[in-house]
Every structure is written in structure tokens, then in C-alpha cells.
Amino acid sequence: MPSNQGYSNACIGVGLRHAHYEQALSQPSPLDFVEVHTENFFAAGGASLAVLKRASELYTLSLHCTALGPGSARPVPELNLKRVSDLVSRFDPLLVSDHLCFTWSSLGAQPVHLGELLPVQRTEASLDLVSDNVDRIQEAIDRRMLIENISSYVEHSAEEMPETEYLSELVARTDCGLLLDINNLVVNAHNAGADSPEAEVIAWIDALPQGAVGEIHLAGFTPVASDEIAVDDHSQPVSELTWRCYAHAVRRFGAVPTLIEWDNALPEWAVLLEQAARARAVCERSTGEAIR
């Protein structure tokens, strides 16, 4: 596996998607890591695992889960947890992450995956539940995991604490880390009708404890009018607002691993590399040190 030796804590990566396999895996690109969606590689063999093996020969891997659902009242099915654990053991990824959400419910005695990243209610009771689930996942994978803030289109009526307080307490209880998705914050600020989305995002970032953020995600979304709902569709370049907030985040948290996320209306591979190069430049300027 490629070594991260020679880099500072920061490294810059992109999400590796099917459309880019040929270009990304034919020869190495100037990236420090690539992120894959873990559940796409649960098969015990075959083409998908061959792709992951080839990727691991060229890049350091990050495993980004979308189906563990640490906010679910029903425990993650043992088979899913074992498959994640097996991939972690086999490929020794740089990072393992999932979202602050619930995804599992029940139909009779059968577990049902809901197919969405649904927001948890920020209460003491749900914090107990999420903490137990995160502890169980971390024990299974034998390492620290990162929990990502999500874009949310509904607000529960009985929230007991702000999202930043909830996440900070989760870190304190479980020693997990946070995956700071700045685009999700921008989407949420827009949808909440914030007078100054930038000020709101920066205040959210500043409310997190030092040392908690282990990774940053950058993405773009389809622009909409101020009175329309924005959707976190990962279909555009990183916005200028998000770049400014990213610069603030690395000044606060240091040069942590940073990923360009692009999942829909995929551009040419070269465009992702350009976005990654800009992330590196912003990080270097904001921290005052070269990171490669």
C-alpha cells in the first residue's frame, strides 16, 4: 500500500467513481488518496474487488460508508458490519467514515435499509444511542471512525441541543472524529434562509472543538434562487463561498485530509484533479506551509 510518509497531516483526494476508473487506474494521478463508497465493494470477489485492489496499488484509500447508520435505533446488521471490518483489515485505509444519520428500521423482524441519510433528533436519548453505535462500530473496525454532518431538509420539533454541541459531546464520549462537510453546511444555511450563509457556516465551524475534525469534504450543488430549496447533489464545482469557508476551516483545524466530492453530472477526470489542486493551494496559503 502507498505510504503517507513525506506528507504533513494534510493530504488531498477525490472520490473515485465508476466513470473515472479507466483514467484513474491506468496510471497514478497527483493525489494523496481516493475515497470509495464502502458498500460498493462488499462482494467477496469479482470485478469490484479487483478495482479496489488496483486502486490500493496506486493510491491510499479512504472508506466512506453510507449505510451503517449510527443514528439508527436498530443495530447495524452483523453481516454489514463484518463486511466493513473485513475491508478495513484487508486495505488498511487512511480514513473510515459514515454520517450522523439513521438508515435502518424494521419490517416485522427483518432489518430494512431506508435508502436515505435521515437526520437524527438531537436529544440526550438519541445521543446515548448514537454513542453506543459508534462505540460498537469502532470496536468492530479496531480504529477511530469519522462522523459526517449531513444536509438536512427537515427540522425536528423538539431539539434539545445545537448540532455542534451534539457532535462535540459525541466526540467526547466515543473519541470518534468528525468529517466536516462544508458544502452540507452551505446547503443548510441557504435552506434556513440565513441572512449571511458565510457567517453562519463560519460560526458553526468555530463552535467545534479543536482536534475533533479528521477530514473535510468539499463539493458543489446546483444553484437555485434564494427562495428555493437547494439539494446537496454533488453535481457542480466547489462554490466560491465554500472555498472561503474551507480556508477558514484549515486556519482553525490545520491541514487535515481534504476530499473533493462529485457524484452526479460527473466531469472529466482532469476537472477533479484541477479541483484537488485548488484545494491544495488554498490549504497551503491558509496554513502557511507547503503540504507536498
Side-chain angles (χ1 to χ4, degrees):
M1 166 168 286
S3 171
N4 225 24
Q5 189 173 4
Y7 298 94
S8 70
N9 288 336
C11 44
I12 307 298
V14 303
L16 180 62
R17 305 298 179 250
H18 183 271
H20 298 133
Y21 284 173
E22 183 175 356
Q23 286 177 284
L25 303 181
S26 60
Q27 59 183 5
S29 296
L31 298 166
D32 302 327
F33 71 104
V34 295
E35 178 196 89
V36 297
H37 288 160
T38 313
E39 290 80 5
N40 291 338
F41 301 93
F42 275 179
S48 63
L49 206 60
V51 164
L52 197 57
K53 183 176 184 300
R54 175 58 177 163
S56 73
E57 294 167 354
L58 297 176
Y59 309 99
T60 297
L61 295 180
S62 174
L63 297 181
H64 188 47
C65 304
T66 61
L68 290 176
S72 305
R74 182 182 180 103
V76 181
E78 287 290 342
L79 180 58
N80 292 56
L81 198 53
K82 183 179 186 307
R83 285 169 170 165
V84 174
S85 178
D86 287 347
L87 286 173
V88 170
S89 297
R90 178 167 182 173
F91 291 101
D92 189 24
L94 174 71
L95 304 165
V96 181
S97 55
D98 205 321
H99 306 75
L100 179 63
C101 68
F102 76 90
T103 58
W104 289 99
S105 187
S106 300
L107 183 62
Q110 295 300 313
V112 175
H113 189 265
L114 302 173
E116 295 289 345
L117 307 177
L118 300 172
V120 302
Q121 190 171 22
R122 297 190 299 272
T123 64
E124 285 291 341
S126 77
L127 184 56
D128 290 340
L129 176 71
V130 175
S131 298
D132 288 345
N133 287 337
V134 168
D135 282 339
R136 177 169 170 251
I137 295 167
Q138 290 186 139
E139 182 177 358
I141 65 175
D142 194 27
R143 65 176 61 201
R144 187 190 204 201
M145 75 177 301
L146 304 179
I147 298 295
E148 177 182 346
N149 58 289
I150 67 169
S151 52
S152 177
Y153 307 96
V154 297
E155 186 74 14
H156 289 291
S157 60
E159 303 290 17
E160 295 177 0
M161 65 190 82
E163 187 175 25
T164 50
E165 181 182 340
Y166 189 100
L167 287 167
S168 299
E169 182 61 25
L170 179 64
V171 170
R173 292 188 186 191
T174 68
D175 199 31
C176 72
L178 299 180
L179 196 175
L180 171 61
D181 190 309
I182 296 178
N183 183 64
N184 287 349
L185 297 180
V186 173
V187 168
N188 289 348
H190 169 92
N191 290 339
D195 292 334
S196 173
E198 184 169 351
E200 182 159 314
V201 171
I202 286 174
W204 197 102
I205 290 170
D206 286 347
L208 295 178
Q210 293 281 2
V213 174
E215 184 184 7
I216 294 173
H217 272 187
L218 303 174
F221 63 93
T222 302
V224 296
S226 60
D227 60 344
E228 294 180 325
I229 295 294
V231 176
D232 175 36
D233 57 9
H234 296 176
S235 67
Q236 301 291 320
V238 178
S239 70
E240 293 303 316
L241 169 56
T242 298
W243 284 122
R244 292 194 299 273
C245 293
Y246 173 57
H248 179 83
V250 295
R251 285 193 294 268
R252 174 164 173 76
F253 300 115
V256 298
T258 298
L259 183 96
I260 302 295
E261 236 184 345
W262 203 318
D263 295 307
N264 294 297
L266 286 166
E268 294 295 322
W269 181 242
V271 174
L272 286 184
L273 298 183
E274 290 168 3
Q275 292 272 284
R278 182 168 181 183
R280 192 181 302 280
V282 170
C283 192
E284 289 180 350
R285 286 198 304 271
S286 300
T287 59
E289 62 180 55
I291 61 172
R292 179 168 187 164

